PDB file of all heavy atoms in Angstrom:
ATOM      1  N   GLN A 172      10.699  -3.675   4.517  1.00 98.00           N
ATOM      2  CA  GLN A 172      10.816  -4.383   5.796  1.00 98.00           C
ATOM      3  C   GLN A 172      12.180  -5.038   5.985  1.00 98.00           C
ATOM      4  O   GLN A 172      12.585  -5.284   7.117  1.00 98.00           O
ATOM      5  CB  GLN A 172       9.682  -5.385   5.973  1.00 98.00           C
ATOM      6  CG  GLN A 172       9.530  -6.408   4.881  1.00 98.00           C
ATOM      7  CD  GLN A 172       8.261  -7.249   5.084  1.00 98.00           C
ATOM      8  OE1 GLN A 172       7.158  -6.725   5.249  1.00 98.00           O
ATOM      9  NE2 GLN A 172       8.424  -8.544   5.083  1.00 98.00           N
ATOM     10  N   SER A 173      12.927  -5.265   4.918  1.00 97.00           N
ATOM     11  CA  SER A 173      14.250  -5.882   5.081  1.00 97.00           C
ATOM     12  C   SER A 173      15.203  -4.953   5.838  1.00 97.00           C
ATOM     13  O   SER A 173      16.156  -5.420   6.463  1.00 97.00           O
ATOM     14  CB  SER A 173      14.847  -6.252   3.720  1.00 97.00           C
ATOM     15  OG  SER A 173      15.002  -5.098   2.920  1.00 97.00           O
ATOM     16  N   PHE A 174      14.972  -3.637   5.805  1.00 97.00           N
ATOM     17  CA  PHE A 174      15.819  -2.708   6.568  1.00 97.00           C
ATOM     18  C   PHE A 174      15.315  -2.547   7.995  1.00 97.00           C
ATOM     19  O   PHE A 174      16.055  -2.141   8.888  1.00 97.00           O
ATOM     20  CB  PHE A 174      15.854  -1.326   5.906  1.00 97.00           C
ATOM     21  CG  PHE A 174      16.300  -1.353   4.473  1.00 97.00           C
ATOM     22  CD1 PHE A 174      15.426  -1.005   3.456  1.00 97.00           C
ATOM     23  CD2 PHE A 174      17.594  -1.750   4.133  1.00 97.00           C
ATOM     24  CE1 PHE A 174      15.823  -1.045   2.129  1.00 97.00           C
ATOM     25  CE2 PHE A 174      18.002  -1.790   2.814  1.00 97.00           C
ATOM     26  CZ  PHE A 174      17.112  -1.437   1.803  1.00 97.00           C
ATOM     27  N   VAL A 175      14.014  -2.811   8.179  1.00 98.00           N
ATOM     28  CA  VAL A 175      13.383  -2.583   9.488  1.00 98.00           C
ATOM     29  C   VAL A 175      13.634  -3.774  10.418  1.00 98.00           C
ATOM     30  O   VAL A 175      13.837  -3.609  11.622  1.00 98.00           O
ATOM     31  CB  VAL A 175      11.864  -2.344   9.307  1.00 98.00           C
ATOM     32  CG1 VAL A 175      11.143  -2.254  10.651  1.00 98.00           C
ATOM     33  CG2 VAL A 175      11.621  -1.087   8.463  1.00 98.00           C
ATOM     34  N   ARG A 176      13.665  -4.960   9.814  1.00 97.00           N
ATOM     35  CA  ARG A 176      13.723  -6.216  10.577  1.00 97.00           C
ATOM     36  C   ARG A 176      14.832  -6.210  11.634  1.00 97.00           C
ATOM     37  O   ARG A 176      14.599  -6.545  12.781  1.00 97.00           O
ATOM     38  CB  ARG A 176      13.919  -7.377   9.593  1.00 97.00           C
ATOM     39  CG  ARG A 176      13.732  -8.751  10.199  1.00 97.00           C
ATOM     40  CD  ARG A 176      13.831  -9.825   9.123  1.00 97.00           C
ATOM     41  NE  ARG A 176      12.872  -9.591   8.027  1.00 97.00           N
ATOM     42  CZ  ARG A 176      13.189  -9.613   6.736  1.00 97.00           C
ATOM     43  NH1 ARG A 176      14.427  -9.841   6.346  1.00 97.00           N
ATOM     44  NH2 ARG A 176      12.263  -9.410   5.821  1.00 97.00           N
ATOM     45  N   ASP A 177      16.055  -5.822  11.249  1.00 96.00           N
ATOM     46  CA  ASP A 177      17.199  -5.940  12.161  1.00 96.00           C
ATOM     47  C   ASP A 177      17.656  -4.604  12.736  1.00 96.00           C
ATOM     48  O   ASP A 177      18.817  -4.456  13.113  1.00 96.00           O
ATOM     49  CB  ASP A 177      18.371  -6.620  11.425  1.00 96.00           C
ATOM     50  CG  ASP A 177      18.009  -8.032  10.989  1.00 96.00           C
ATOM     51  OD1 ASP A 177      17.274  -8.707  11.732  1.00 96.00           O
ATOM     52  OD2 ASP A 177      18.424  -8.441   9.881  1.00 96.00           O
ATOM     53  N   LEU A 178      16.738  -3.639  12.805  1.00 97.00           N
ATOM     54  CA  LEU A 178      17.120  -2.318  13.330  1.00 97.00           C
ATOM     55  C   LEU A 178      17.804  -2.416  14.691  1.00 97.00           C
ATOM     56  O   LEU A 178      18.707  -1.643  14.989  1.00 97.00           O
ATOM     57  CB  LEU A 178      15.888  -1.412  13.439  1.00 97.00           C
ATOM     58  CG  LEU A 178      15.449  -0.700  12.159  1.00 97.00           C
ATOM     59  CD1 LEU A 178      14.195   0.132  12.416  1.00 97.00           C
ATOM     60  CD2 LEU A 178      16.573   0.161  11.595  1.00 97.00           C
ATOM     61  N   GLY A 179      17.367  -3.381  15.506  1.00 94.00           N
ATOM     62  CA  GLY A 179      17.933  -3.528  16.849  1.00 94.00           C
ATOM     63  C   GLY A 179      19.376  -4.002  16.841  1.00 94.00           C
ATOM     64  O   GLY A 179      20.154  -3.657  17.729  1.00 94.00           O
ATOM     65  N   GLN A 180      19.768  -4.796  15.850  1.00 96.00           N
ATOM     66  CA  GLN A 180      21.091  -5.427  15.848  1.00 96.00           C
ATOM     67  C   GLN A 180      22.050  -4.846  14.826  1.00 96.00           C
ATOM     68  O   GLN A 180      23.259  -4.984  14.959  1.00 96.00           O
ATOM     69  CB  GLN A 180      20.997  -6.943  15.551  1.00 96.00           C
ATOM     70  CG  GLN A 180      20.099  -7.759  16.447  1.00 96.00           C
ATOM     71  CD  GLN A 180      18.643  -7.707  16.016  1.00 96.00           C
ATOM     72  OE1 GLN A 180      17.873  -6.874  16.489  1.00 96.00           O
ATOM     73  NE2 GLN A 180      18.248  -8.568  15.100  1.00 96.00           N
ATOM     74  N   ASP A 181      21.524  -4.236  13.781  1.00 97.00           N
ATOM     75  CA  ASP A 181      22.380  -3.902  12.648  1.00 97.00           C
ATOM     76  C   ASP A 181      22.532  -2.390  12.472  1.00 97.00           C
ATOM     77  O   ASP A 181      21.599  -1.695  12.073  1.00 97.00           O
ATOM     78  CB  ASP A 181      21.762  -4.533  11.380  1.00 97.00           C
ATOM     79  CG  ASP A 181      22.699  -4.480  10.193  1.00 97.00           C
ATOM     80  OD1 ASP A 181      23.507  -3.539  10.115  1.00 97.00           O
ATOM     81  OD2 ASP A 181      22.613  -5.385   9.344  1.00 97.00           O
ATOM     82  N   ALA A 182      23.744  -1.910  12.766  1.00 97.00           N
ATOM     83  CA  ALA A 182      24.003  -0.470  12.679  1.00 97.00           C
ATOM     84  C   ALA A 182      23.876   0.026  11.236  1.00 97.00           C
ATOM     85  O   ALA A 182      23.494   1.179  11.007  1.00 97.00           O
ATOM     86  CB  ALA A 182      25.397  -0.154  13.227  1.00 97.00           C
ATOM     87  N   ASN A 183      24.176  -0.822  10.271  1.00 98.00           N
ATOM     88  CA  ASN A 183      24.046  -0.410   8.864  1.00 98.00           C
ATOM     89  C   ASN A 183      22.581  -0.161   8.514  1.00 98.00           C
ATOM     90  O   ASN A 183      22.259   0.794   7.814  1.00 98.00           O
ATOM     91  CB  ASN A 183      24.612  -1.479   7.924  1.00 98.00           C
ATOM     92  CG  ASN A 183      26.134  -1.508   7.961  1.00 98.00           C
ATOM     93  OD1 ASN A 183      26.767  -0.514   8.327  1.00 98.00           O
ATOM     94  ND2 ASN A 183      26.707  -2.640   7.607  1.00 98.00           N
ATOM     95  N   ASP A 184      21.689  -1.042   9.001  1.00 98.00           N
ATOM     96  CA  ASP A 184      20.264  -0.840   8.742  1.00 98.00           C
ATOM     97  C   ASP A 184      19.776   0.455   9.394  1.00 98.00           C
ATOM     98  O   ASP A 184      18.994   1.199   8.803  1.00 98.00           O
ATOM     99  CB  ASP A 184      19.434  -2.033   9.250  1.00 98.00           C
ATOM    100  CG  ASP A 184      19.528  -3.230   8.294  1.00 98.00           C
ATOM    101  OD1 ASP A 184      19.788  -3.016   7.101  1.00 98.00           O
ATOM    102  OD2 ASP A 184      19.355  -4.373   8.759  1.00 98.00           O
ATOM    103  N   ARG A 185      20.281   0.724  10.602  1.00 98.00           N
ATOM    104  CA  ARG A 185      19.885   1.982  11.262  1.00 98.00           C
ATOM    105  C   ARG A 185      20.334   3.177  10.414  1.00 98.00           C
ATOM    106  O   ARG A 185      19.586   4.136  10.220  1.00 98.00           O
ATOM    107  CB  ARG A 185      20.477   2.066  12.674  1.00 98.00           C
ATOM    108  CG  ARG A 185      19.788   1.150  13.679  1.00 98.00           C
ATOM    109  CD  ARG A 185      20.115   1.535  15.118  1.00 98.00           C
ATOM    110  NE  ARG A 185      21.501   1.280  15.481  1.00 98.00           N
ATOM    111  CZ  ARG A 185      21.982   0.080  15.873  1.00 98.00           C
ATOM    112  NH1 ARG A 185      21.166  -0.964  15.968  1.00 98.00           N
ATOM    113  NH2 ARG A 185      23.258  -0.052  16.181  1.00 98.00           N
ATOM    114  N   ALA A 186      21.555   3.098   9.903  1.00 98.00           N
ATOM    115  CA  ALA A 186      22.082   4.203   9.078  1.00 98.00           C
ATOM    116  C   ALA A 186      21.252   4.366   7.801  1.00 98.00           C
ATOM    117  O   ALA A 186      20.904   5.491   7.412  1.00 98.00           O
ATOM    118  CB  ALA A 186      23.545   3.945   8.736  1.00 98.00           C
ATOM    119  N   ILE A 187      20.907   3.252   7.167  1.00 97.00           N
ATOM    120  CA  ILE A 187      20.147   3.316   5.906  1.00 97.00           C
ATOM    121  C   ILE A 187      18.754   3.892   6.158  1.00 97.00           C
ATOM    122  O   ILE A 187      18.295   4.784   5.443  1.00 97.00           O
ATOM    123  CB  ILE A 187      20.054   1.907   5.252  1.00 97.00           C
ATOM    124  CG1 ILE A 187      21.438   1.502   4.721  1.00 97.00           C
ATOM    125  CG2 ILE A 187      19.011   1.882   4.139  1.00 97.00           C
ATOM    126  CD1 ILE A 187      21.541   0.055   4.270  1.00 97.00           C
ATOM    127  N   VAL A 188      18.094   3.405   7.218  1.00 98.00           N
ATOM    128  CA  VAL A 188      16.731   3.870   7.504  1.00 98.00           C
ATOM    129  C   VAL A 188      16.740   5.365   7.827  1.00 98.00           C
ATOM    130  O   VAL A 188      15.917   6.131   7.321  1.00 98.00           O
ATOM    131  CB  VAL A 188      16.083   3.034   8.630  1.00 98.00           C
ATOM    132  CG1 VAL A 188      14.822   3.700   9.153  1.00 98.00           C
ATOM    133  CG2 VAL A 188      15.776   1.627   8.118  1.00 98.00           C
ATOM    134  N   SER A 189      17.708   5.808   8.638  1.00 98.00           N
ATOM    135  CA  SER A 189      17.671   7.229   8.969  1.00 98.00           C
ATOM    136  C   SER A 189      18.027   8.065   7.739  1.00 98.00           C
ATOM    137  O   SER A 189      17.483   9.151   7.548  1.00 98.00           O
ATOM    138  CB  SER A 189      18.492   7.560  10.217  1.00 98.00           C
ATOM    139  OG  SER A 189      19.827   7.542   9.938  1.00 98.00           O
ATOM    140  N   ALA A 190      18.893   7.559   6.864  1.00 97.00           N
ATOM    141  CA  ALA A 190      19.207   8.294   5.622  1.00 97.00           C
ATOM    142  C   ALA A 190      17.983   8.395   4.711  1.00 97.00           C
ATOM    143  O   ALA A 190      17.737   9.445   4.112  1.00 97.00           O
ATOM    144  CB  ALA A 190      20.360   7.618   4.890  1.00 97.00           C
ATOM    145  N   ILE A 191      17.208   7.307   4.617  1.00 97.00           N
ATOM    146  CA  ILE A 191      15.997   7.345   3.760  1.00 97.00           C
ATOM    147  C   ILE A 191      15.017   8.391   4.319  1.00 97.00           C
ATOM    148  O   ILE A 191      14.439   9.181   3.569  1.00 97.00           O
ATOM    149  CB  ILE A 191      15.313   5.957   3.664  1.00 97.00           C
ATOM    150  CG1 ILE A 191      16.223   4.954   2.929  1.00 97.00           C
ATOM    151  CG2 ILE A 191      13.962   6.059   2.934  1.00 97.00           C
ATOM    152  CD1 ILE A 191      15.669   3.526   2.872  1.00 97.00           C
ATOM    153  N   ILE A 192      14.853   8.401   5.651  1.00 98.00           N
ATOM    154  CA  ILE A 192      13.914   9.363   6.253  1.00 98.00           C
ATOM    155  C   ILE A 192      14.375  10.804   5.990  1.00 98.00           C
ATOM    156  O   ILE A 192      13.580  11.653   5.582  1.00 98.00           O
ATOM    157  CB  ILE A 192      13.746   9.091   7.769  1.00 98.00           C
ATOM    158  CG1 ILE A 192      13.093   7.715   7.977  1.00 98.00           C
ATOM    159  CG2 ILE A 192      12.907  10.192   8.433  1.00 98.00           C
ATOM    160  CD1 ILE A 192      13.123   7.233   9.423  1.00 98.00           C
ATOM    161  N   ARG A 193      15.678  11.064   6.182  1.00 98.00           N
ATOM    162  CA  ARG A 193      16.204  12.427   5.933  1.00 98.00           C
ATOM    163  C   ARG A 193      15.991  12.824   4.477  1.00 98.00           C
ATOM    164  O   ARG A 193      15.580  13.937   4.170  1.00 98.00           O
ATOM    165  CB  ARG A 193      17.718  12.508   6.195  1.00 98.00           C
ATOM    166  CG  ARG A 193      18.204  12.177   7.573  1.00 98.00           C
ATOM    167  CD  ARG A 193      18.358  13.372   8.472  1.00 98.00           C
ATOM    168  NE  ARG A 193      17.463  13.200   9.630  1.00 98.00           N
ATOM    169  CZ  ARG A 193      17.502  12.167  10.468  1.00 98.00           C
ATOM    170  NH1 ARG A 193      18.392  11.213  10.322  1.00 98.00           N
ATOM    171  NH2 ARG A 193      16.665  12.093  11.480  1.00 98.00           N
ATOM    172  N   MET A 194      16.325  11.884   3.570  1.00 96.00           N
ATOM    173  CA  MET A 194      16.213  12.190   2.141  1.00 96.00           C
ATOM    174  C   MET A 194      14.755  12.497   1.781  1.00 96.00           C
ATOM    175  O   MET A 194      14.469  13.461   1.064  1.00 96.00           O
ATOM    176  CB  MET A 194      16.724  11.020   1.308  1.00 96.00           C
ATOM    177  CG  MET A 194      16.676  11.317  -0.185  1.00 96.00           C
ATOM    178  SD  MET A 194      17.107   9.901  -1.176  1.00 96.00           S
ATOM    179  CE  MET A 194      15.703   8.855  -0.875  1.00 96.00           C
ATOM    180  N   ALA A 195      13.832  11.668   2.292  1.00 96.00           N
ATOM    181  CA  ALA A 195      12.417  11.889   2.001  1.00 96.00           C
ATOM    182  C   ALA A 195      11.980  13.258   2.520  1.00 96.00           C
ATOM    183  O   ALA A 195      11.298  14.009   1.815  1.00 96.00           O
ATOM    184  CB  ALA A 195      11.571  10.770   2.620  1.00 96.00           C
ATOM    185  N   GLN A 196      12.409  13.586   3.732  1.00 96.00           N
ATOM    186  CA  GLN A 196      12.043  14.895   4.295  1.00 96.00           C
ATOM    187  C   GLN A 196      12.523  16.011   3.383  1.00 96.00           C
ATOM    188  O   GLN A 196      11.785  16.938   3.059  1.00 96.00           O
ATOM    189  CB  GLN A 196      12.687  15.076   5.678  1.00 96.00           C
ATOM    190  CG  GLN A 196      11.899  14.427   6.798  1.00 96.00           C
ATOM    191  CD  GLN A 196      12.698  14.371   8.101  1.00 96.00           C
ATOM    192  OE1 GLN A 196      13.913  14.621   8.123  1.00 96.00           O
ATOM    193  NE2 GLN A 196      12.031  14.021   9.191  1.00 96.00           N
ATOM    194  N   ALA A 197      13.779  15.897   2.925  1.00 95.00           N
ATOM    195  CA  ALA A 197      14.363  16.940   2.087  1.00 95.00           C
ATOM    196  C   ALA A 197      13.640  17.042   0.738  1.00 95.00           C
ATOM    197  O   ALA A 197      13.564  18.118   0.148  1.00 95.00           O
ATOM    198  CB  ALA A 197      15.847  16.681   1.884  1.00 95.00           C
ATOM    199  N   LEU A 198      13.116  15.923   0.273  1.00 94.00           N
ATOM    200  CA  LEU A 198      12.408  15.923  -1.018  1.00 94.00           C
ATOM    201  C   LEU A 198      10.918  16.229  -0.844  1.00 94.00           C
ATOM    202  O   LEU A 198      10.159  16.193  -1.812  1.00 94.00           O
ATOM    203  CB  LEU A 198      12.569  14.564  -1.703  1.00 94.00           C
ATOM    204  CG  LEU A 198      13.970  14.221  -2.246  1.00 94.00           C
ATOM    205  CD1 LEU A 198      14.048  12.751  -2.640  1.00 94.00           C
ATOM    206  CD2 LEU A 198      14.329  15.103  -3.442  1.00 94.00           C
TER     207      LEU A 198
END
Side-chain angles (χ1 to χ4, degrees):
Q172 56 187 52
S173 61
F174 304 114
V175 174
R176 191 175 304 131
D177 298 324
L178 278 179
Q180 305 83 267
D181 191 330
N183 287 337
D184 283 335
R185 286 196 291 277
I187 290 170
V188 167
S189 75
I191 294 176
I192 295 169
R193 300 266 119 58
M194 182 186 69
Q196 277 168 348
L198 290 169

